[in-house]
Amino acid sequence: MTFSWPIRVYYEDTDSGGVVYYANYLKYLERARTEYLRHLGFEQDQLINTHNILFAVRHVQLDYHKPARFNELLEVRSDVIECKKASLLFEQRVYRVDDDALLCSGQVKIACLLADTF
């Protein structure tokens, strides 16, 4: 199941050339993963408080294909492609809505940790 989440590019997301600063794509991917989990019924604060579980990024691999610019509407598409005992592997892609151009793609591995001991 592919989960999609809209993102608007704000001025603060861009560099002096009006292009999304590369590190901000990580923020977009994080928001989409959080909303994906929320959509599935998992609130991260409740996981910590009730089950002493938190998620941490273990590994990121990204490719940048085309630039996004100020005020564009983007869509982050996320899929869980691997689910193990203590980790999830997400495949995530960022598209520009107007022309469905692929802007950024990659995989993010999330580790499941005990909140009190990491």
Side-chain angles (χ1 to χ4, degrees):
M1 171 185 133
T2 300
F3 179 80
S4 296
W5 188 253
I7 300 281
R8 175 71 66 181
V9 176
Y10 296 114
Y11 185 74
E12 68 187 24
D13 297 330
T14 62
D15 61 17
S16 61
V19 173
V20 171
Y21 182 67
Y22 77 96
N24 286 328
Y25 286 96
L26 293 170
K27 293 179 184 181
Y28 299 161
L29 300 181
E30 175 74 30
R31 291 176 200 166
R33 287 192 311 275
T34 298
E35 294 301 333
Y36 191 2
L37 290 171
R38 181 173 284 131
H39 173 76
L40 295 173
F42 298 104
E43 292 288 345
Q44 292 189 55
D45 55 345
Q46 290 176 353
L47 288 173
I48 292 170
N49 295 332
T50 306
H51 301 288
N52 195 40
I53 292 173
L54 60 81
F55 296 112
V57 173
R58 172 74 172 93
H59 179 79
V60 175
Q61 180 179 342
L62 290 180
D63 290 308
Y64 299 97
H65 305 281
K66 294 183 179 183
R69 300 183 184 279
F70 170 66
N71 210 28
E72 289 183 330
L73 182 60
L74 311 179
E75 179 182 52
V76 181
R77 299 176 193 166
S78 306
D79 292 287
V80 175
I81 59 172
E82 186 177 83
C83 184
K84 293 187 174 181
K85 289 182 182 181
S87 67
L88 295 168
L89 182 61
F90 286 85
E91 182 175 74
Q92 293 187 277
R93 297 153 321 278
V94 180
Y95 293 88
R96 185 174 27 249
V97 170
D98 285 348
D99 60 1
D100 205 38
L102 178 62
L103 308 178
C104 177
S105 64
Q107 294 184 350
V108 182
K109 187 171 193 172
I110 305 297
C112 181
L113 305 171
L114 294 176
D116 58 353
T117 63
F118 289 93

